[in-house]
Amino acid sequence: MLSRIGNSLFWLGRYIERAEHIARYTKVQYVSSLDAPYAQGREFVLESILDMIGISYQYYASYSQLTDEDVLFFVTLDENNPLSIHSTIGYIRENARGARDSISLELWEAINRFYHSMNNYTVVKLHNEGIHEFSQKVEENSSVLKGCIDNTLMRNEAWMLICLGIHMERAIQVARILITKVKDIEKIDPAKLGGPVENYQWTTLLKGAESFDMNKRHYKANPNRRNSLEFLMFNQAFPKSIAYNLDVVHKNIQQIAFHDEKGSNSLDFMAGKLAGQFKYTTIEETEKQVTEFLTSTLDKINQMANKLLEKHLIY
Amino acid sequence: MTQSTQHQFTSDVLTNYPLNLALLDEVFNKEGKVNTHYTKVLDQFSCYSVEDFKELNEHAKLSFFNQGVTFAVYSDKSKGVERIFPFDLFPRIIPAAEWQRLEEGIIQRNMAINWFIHDIYHEKLILKDGVVPAELIFSSKHYTKAMLGMKPVGNIYNHISGTDLIKHSDGQYYVLEDNVRTPSGVSYVLSNREAMKKTLSGLFRKYNIRSVQDYPQHLLSMMQSVAPESADNPNCVVLTPGMYNSAYYEHSFLAHNMGIPLVEGRDLFVDKNFVYMKTIYGPKRVDVIYRRIDDDFIDPLVFRPDSVLGIPGIMAAYREGNVTLINAPGTGAADDKAVYSYVPAIIKYYLNEEPILNNVHTYRCELETDYKYVMEHMEELVIKPVDESGGYGILIGSRSTKEERDEFKRIITANRRKYIAQPVMSLSVHATFIEEENVFEPRHIDLRTYALLGKDKQFVLKGGLSRVALRKGSLIVNSSQGGGSKDTWVLEE
């Protein structure tokens, strides 16, 4: 397979996953803040959204004030924001077009439908239907695309590279969500923590990563700091957890069997070491310095992605 | 051809067919009777009402959209405007014997052109013997010094040729152009056939029509036949300028149907005079490249230094015999419109045969007598620049104003090598469904054929692209100028 095609497939997976997470996080944060127990300023929620996506700086370059309308538009439909959901869906289609001969007709058509439905989405419609409706469409379409990926593609390098992109991006997005929410909570006046205020924050964290329901069933307890972090970081059986996704990333890298250098510099070694670290670390060891731990994890994932892109997917 | 039968039209779409006796109509003879090889089509069409026909037409168009056969015009990175190449449901039919002769003529012509290209980059015998003026070749902007002394595998230069033919009012075929650089349009031939089979399957049962679907196989085996000898299992690729090129659909279609990689310049690199493609498993050697990039852009070290589409060093690898380029660089020196006029002489010189296909008589403005004739008879002639394609820069004398003619006289005099003139050829017409009016009307057509030359093998696609000048009275069939196309049926004996 040409490296250029491989590159398109890898980014196809990453952008599908990224659009979904940005949409869901924005929806959950914004909608749940509407009746939050702790009367946070709206700005608190809007900043949390911009921070998770990592676009605060870009936002303030275009807008002087933080308003609901501006932030929601900037995150969703703004064509001038290269990290908006609209732009991200454009990249999904571009990458799919570049790898058209390696994916199925079904997947290509589903991507096209998604793209066209988003292209026709107007600001007025966003305003009338609200962010909930918009994000719901993105999440549903994302599920359709992943359904096509799983049900219509051969289990060859094309499929593996898309999956590699999806799972690597999911580990990144979940880590970003965790870092953002832990920092959000640290900003709250300690006197007000505990009870419903903190409970609310852990609930939105879990919902923002589509994990609330499964967390409750697993722990049979209300969400708290420890079980929320443990569930999303270390649970080997839960498909949103970082541990689960890093394990899939490692397996995909082994299956693709890149002709790699051996030893501690190889992609296989990097991916295996990172997955192993998550497999054999407990929440007790990390919870005191969780943002540092997660930030260093993000660095390692990025190093791995760069290695992959520069060594095997460069053209 | 002259046999015909009286026809009774019951269909609204054909009742008032405006037969023009001044023109050669492919379907009807001078008495308004249907030529025999068209009777079964007419029988079938007569059963359709206007509504039926409109429906069939929409059905065929949908088939094109679903196949993704579209011209793309891109305004920005993510939004594209896509439109289909207009397609007509009335097939153009060529009887077996007529085709047989055409095919022989096409092979003869392209073989001779191949010898000619070899000669002008080696001994230059034809120039020394004065059959073709040396000055004409050396002044061509397509004459490529990097090809001097170069001997490609199998001695083949114009592996793929797209000879353009017309049928004149005298009933004879004439060659209009020899396209021996990178002729395009073959994907439309195959897609037209697919659409026709889906739309008018019943009609196919009544004829014995030669298949066109084997073209990709022939193309691939031609490519393999000219692979460098050092390649055991040759890696053949199609090289495209990229997805924003207007013919990208065709590049991807051909690669897909041959089952070989579609690469861009940035996927390839040259190391120690070998060409490699970058794969996820590391570099893989490339042996044969069907390149859909013009000579000028293929190697920035040899041709245009600003080209970002090409591969630095590829010409050196080519000259070393480590990779085959299809078509060879420098073939353009043979399809210049002034060289065209010498093709009959070229055929006689190399093959010692009479040309099978006619050439349109051509006045070369660089010759004194021809130049005088052109200046005095401009109203009766078509004036063409020798090195433009796509129907640009042409003056049709009979439709020009005095000012336009004076302007052309001035520019021809300033650059006589650049212009040739030909008598106005009367392209045959063919009944064509006109969507706006829901009737059939005659429209001018030509025929683009596709010939392959490999090592010891020749192949002509049994059919071709019958291009239609959709504008009433227009003689220009190029798609960039409002042309459409028809499926072309070559009949079995």
Side-chain angles (χ1 to χ4, degrees), chain A residues 10-27:
Chain A
F10 174 67
W11 283 107
L12 172 66
R14 288 196 64 170
Y15 285 123
I16 291 173
E17 194 65 18
R18 185 176 298 179
E20 177 186 325
H21 278 274
I22 293 174
R24 185 185 300 114
Y25 188 80
T26 305
K27 173 190 80 175

Side-chain angles (χ1 to χ4, degrees), chain B residues 336-368:
Chain B
D336 162 311
K337 292 188 182 69
V339 175
Y340 160 89
S341 63
Y342 291 97
V343 174
I346 288 171
I347 293 172
K348 279 179 210 149
Y349 186 82
Y350 295 107
L351 304 178
N352 198 21
E353 290 171 8
E354 282 305 308
I356 297 170
L357 298 173
N358 302 301
N359 238 39
V360 179
H361 185 83
T362 302
Y363 300 92
R364 296 186 279 264
C365 294
E366 61 180 334
L367 303 179
E368 207 49 46

Side-chain angles (χ1 to χ4, degrees), chain B residues 401-417:
Chain B
T401 62
K402 176 144 188 343
E403 288 71 36
E404 284 168 334
R405 286 194 297 276
D406 288 344
E407 174 65 10
F408 254 75
K409 280 179 188 166
R410 197 182 57 72
I411 55 174
I412 292 170
T413 310
N415 191 354
R416 281 163 55 179
R417 161 71 175 91

Side-chain angles (χ1 to χ4, degrees), chain A residues 1-6 79 90 93-94 97-98 101 115 119 157 161 255-259 312-315, chain B residues 66 74 77-80 82 243-244 248 252 255-256 261-264 266-267 277-282:
Chain A
M1 173 180 288
L2 288 174
S3 298
R4 175 172 52 83
I5 310 282
E79 291 181 38
R93 185 169 186 254
E94 276 306 286
R97 194 209 287 278
D101 277 356
Y115 169 79
N119 232 2
E157 294 105 324
L161 280 162
Q255 278 186 326
I256 299 173
F258 296 110
H259 295 214
H312 304 284
L313 305 182
I314 194 167
Y315 57 92
Chain B
N66 293 344
Y74 288 96
K77 240 182 132 45
S78 50
K79 281 185 197 174
E82 285 162 20
M243 68 169 97
Y244 298 107
Y248 181 73
S252 129
H256 194 83
L262 177 65
V263 304
E264 297 178 16
R266 54 192 174 157
D267 294 319
M277 62 183 196
K278 302 171 200 166
T279 80
I280 62 171
Y281 298 123

Side-chain angles (χ1 to χ4, degrees), chain A residues 103-213:
Chain A
I103 61 175
S104 62
L105 179 71
E106 291 76 14
L107 176 57
W108 168 242
E109 288 187 349
I111 288 170
N112 255 330
R113 279 196 301 275
F114 186 18
Y115 169 79
H116 287 301
S117 73
M118 281 297 136
N119 232 2
N120 296 331
Y121 219 99
T122 59
V123 190
V124 179
K125 195 169 172 192
L126 178 67
H127 191 77
N128 291 343
E129 297 185 349
I131 184 68
H132 187 273
E133 197 61 30
F134 174 88
S135 295
Q136 203 69 26
K137 286 212 170 79
V138 175
E139 288 173 60
E140 281 167 12
N141 272 295
S142 183
S143 292
V144 170
L145 299 193
K146 288 181 201 166
C148 289
I149 289 165
D150 272 346
N151 296 315
T152 67
L153 295 186
M154 298 271 293
R155 278 358 184 210
N156 55 17
E157 294 105 324
W159 181 77
M160 289 174 213
L161 280 162
I162 297 174
C163 288
L164 184 56
I166 288 176
H167 291 284
M168 192 181 284
E169 184 71 21
R170 194 181 297 164
I172 291 171
Q173 291 299 325
V174 170
R176 292 193 67 95
I177 290 174
L178 286 166
I179 292 170
T180 309
K181 286 316 286 181
V182 168
K183 283 186 177 165
D184 280 356
I185 293 164
E186 285 168 358
K187 285 183 207 155
I188 299 171
D189 178 0
K192 293 179 179 162
L193 282 179
V197 171
E198 199 173 334
N199 191 359
Y200 159 80
Q201 288 296 346
W202 297 115
T203 303
T204 49
L205 161 69
L206 289 167
K207 284 187 175 166
E210 211 175 26
S211 316
F212 178 65
D213 197 34

Side-chain angles (χ1 to χ4, degrees), chain B residues 299-345:
Chain B
D299 187 346
L301 300 183
V302 178
F303 304 106
R304 280 177 61 155
D306 60 336
S307 169
V308 291
L309 302 174
I311 304 104
I314 200 169
M315 278 303 287
Y318 177 64
R319 288 193 58 93
E320 279 291 307
N322 293 336
V323 70
T324 299
L325 295 177
I326 287 173
N327 289 351
T331 52
D335 76 356
D336 162 311
K337 292 188 182 69
V339 175
Y340 160 89
S341 63
Y342 291 97
V343 174

